[in-house]
């Protein structure tokens, strides 16, 4: 079943957990992150105000979709998949089961009951089930985002991970979550759906500080949005929002994150347009300013 926890209870649980792992700390009676997120260009903001804004945005940034009802049905899917069974991990989240592959940015899959994510040409696409002809290419993995795991943990503190002991196994064995953290995080990334505006210097600096909590410093995601003439960027769904209401994919694994080469050709924009998960969002009110 999908998470049913209220926003207030979720935020209480999340803050308690983040304090326990020392990601958050109390300073002069206020909550701040353990590492500075306010850069020199953001002198008009304070750590505690940014921290509070970030915490209040997390609950509504998650939009879940259903996994398989039983682990057996998830295993059945894996056994029918043409891909190497050893590459799959099964993530149990809120008593639902998701089949996950996370080799690199060119070969990622998250398979749910009626919705799946997969990567192709460095683009994150959706379909009911992934295509059967995806090719594994040698790419460097994007670093894991541990914060995503902690945000998921506040929704469900009983996350489990399984793998098949051999190719033809009809059962799965549980493995430590910390040994498969990247698979849990990839599942969380497919759930996380939030836009950050990047059309003014203030928005770029402000949202760069928030995104520093998830991505390595120097990610330049908001600057990339500016250079590609986007009004907003959704780095988890790998989408940009352009003038006239156009929403397009962008490539995540590119050396220079500021280059417009991260955007797709017109042909690929048309080709992949129907393979994105788009919620109805009021971009006047629904973007982090």
């Amino acid at each position: 079943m999908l998470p049913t926890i209220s926003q207030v209870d979720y935020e209480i649980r999340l803050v308690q957990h983040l304090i326990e792992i020392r990601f958050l700390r109390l300073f002069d009676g206020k909550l701040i992150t353990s590492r500075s997120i306010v850069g020199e260009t953001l002198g008009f903001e304070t750590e505690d105000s940014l921290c509070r804004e970030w915490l209040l945005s997390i609950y509504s940034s998650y939009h879940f979709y259903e996994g398989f009802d039983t682990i057996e049905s998830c295993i059945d899917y894996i056994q029918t998949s043409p891909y190497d069974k050893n590459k799959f991990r099964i993530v149990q989240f809120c008593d639902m089961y998701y089949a996950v592959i996370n080799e690199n940015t060119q070969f990622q899959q998250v398979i749910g009951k009626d919705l799946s994510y997969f990567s192709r040409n460095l683009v994150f696409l959706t379909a009911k089930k992934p295509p059967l002809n995806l090719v594994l290419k040698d790419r460097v993995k994007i670093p894991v985002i541990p914060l995503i795991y902690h945000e998921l943990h506040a929704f469900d503190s009983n996350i489990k991970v399984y793998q098949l002991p051999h190719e033809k196994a009809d059962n799965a064995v549980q493995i430590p979550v910390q040994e498969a953290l990247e698979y849990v995080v990839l599942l969380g990334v497919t759930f996380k759906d939030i836009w950050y505006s990047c059309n003014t210097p203030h928005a770029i600096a402000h949202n760069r500080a928030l995104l520093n909590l998830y991505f390595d410093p120097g990610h330049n995601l908001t600057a990339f949005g500016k250079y590609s003439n986007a009004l907003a960027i959704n780095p988890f769904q790998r989408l940009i929002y352009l003038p006239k209401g156009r929403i397009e994919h962008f490539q995540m694994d590119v050396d220079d994150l500021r280059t417009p080469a991260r955007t797709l050709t017109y042909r690929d924009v048309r080709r992949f347009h129907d393979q994105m998960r788009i919620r109805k969002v009021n971009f006047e009110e629904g973007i982090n300013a």
Side-chain angles (χ1 to χ4, degrees), residues 107-122:
F107 199 67
Q108 296 175 318
Q109 297 181 28
V110 180
I111 299 95
K113 184 177 180 180
D114 297 309
L115 177 68
S116 301
Y117 280 78
F118 62 95
S119 56
R120 170 175 275 173
N121 298 340
L122 304 178

Side-chain angles (χ1 to χ4, degrees), residues 24-284:
L24 290 179
R25 60 189 175 90
L26 288 170
F27 178 76
D28 197 21
K30 299 176 180 178
L31 278 175
I32 60 173
T33 55
S34 295
R35 60 187 175 89
S36 174
I37 58 174
V38 175
E40 294 178 0
T41 60
L42 205 59
F44 44 82
E45 296 280 7
T46 61
E47 289 280 350
D48 62 291
S49 65
L50 269 177
C51 184
R52 183 171 60 253
E53 177 185 334
W54 162 65
L55 287 170
L56 292 174
S57 71
I58 294 172
Y59 181 88
S60 60
S61 72
Y62 278 88
H63 302 273
F64 301 100
Y65 56 93
E66 292 185 339
F68 293 93
D69 296 325
T70 65
I71 192 170
E72 290 79 13
S73 58
C74 191
I75 293 173
D76 288 344
Y77 168 79
I78 293 173
Q79 291 297 0
T80 62
S81 168
Y83 303 109
D84 186 347
K85 312 303 184 285
N86 294 326
K87 297 186 184 301
F88 281 96
R89 300 294 181 271
I90 298 173
V91 180
Q92 179 184 344
F93 174 74
C94 288
D95 294 325
M96 295 182 293
Y97 300 86
Y98 301 83
V100 183
I101 295 178
N102 190 11
E103 287 297 297
N104 53 51
T105 51
Q106 204 49 312
F107 199 67
Q108 296 175 318
Q109 297 181 28
V110 180
I111 299 95
K113 184 177 180 180
D114 297 309
L115 177 68
S116 301
Y117 280 78
F118 62 95
S119 56
R120 170 175 275 173
N121 298 340
L122 304 178
V123 179
F124 221 18
L125 305 174
T126 62
K128 184 169 184 178
K129 292 293 181 286
L132 304 180
N133 60 346
L134 298 174
V135 178
L136 174 59
K137 297 183 180 179
D138 186 18
R139 304 288 298 189
V140 176
K141 285 188 177 182
I142 291 178
V144 174
I145 310 172
L147 186 53
I148 296 287
Y149 167 73
H150 299 304
E151 292 177 0
L152 284 184
H153 183 273
F155 283 108
D156 178 12
S157 59
N158 195 35
I159 297 173
K160 296 178 182 177
V161 182
Y162 305 85
Q163 71 178 99
L164 302 186
H166 55 83
E167 281 282 317
K168 296 183 179 180
D170 58 2
N171 66 314
V173 295
Q174 187 175 346
I175 60 176
V177 170
Q178 291 304 317
E179 292 183 7
L181 194 64
E182 62 195 85
Y183 299 88
V184 181
V185 167
L186 182 59
L187 173 64
V189 166
T190 67
F191 291 150
K192 198 165 180 69
D193 188 355
I194 181 171
W195 292 89
Y196 298 87
S197 60
C198 54
N199 57 340
T200 67
H202 175 277
I204 290 172
H206 176 92
N207 287 325
R208 181 173 64 238
L210 294 177
L211 288 171
N212 283 345
L213 292 168
Y214 297 96
F215 301 96
D216 289 340
H219 56 77
N220 285 328
L221 284 164
T222 49
F224 154 68
K226 170 189 173 183
Y227 286 109
S228 59
N229 197 34
L231 301 178
I233 185 168
N234 188 329
F236 304 101
Q237 300 291 312
R238 303 179 199 173
L239 300 172
I240 52 175
Y241 181 74
L242 296 162
K244 299 183 179 179
R246 291 184 296 125
I247 298 177
E248 297 180 4
H249 294 95
F250 71 88
Q251 296 180 333
M252 197 68 171
D253 186 9
V254 177
D255 291 334
D256 184 356
L257 303 188
R258 294 174 299 176
T259 174
R262 290 166 64 89
T263 56
L264 304 186
T265 64
Y266 178 74
R267 177 187 175 188
D268 282 343
V269 168
R270 293 288 300 269
R271 175 185 170 197
F272 296 138
H273 182 265
D274 293 333
Q275 293 179 285
M276 65 175 72
R277 181 185 178 206
I278 295 297
R279 297 178 301 106
K280 291 183 179 179
V281 178
N282 183 342
F283 284 98
E284 297 300 320

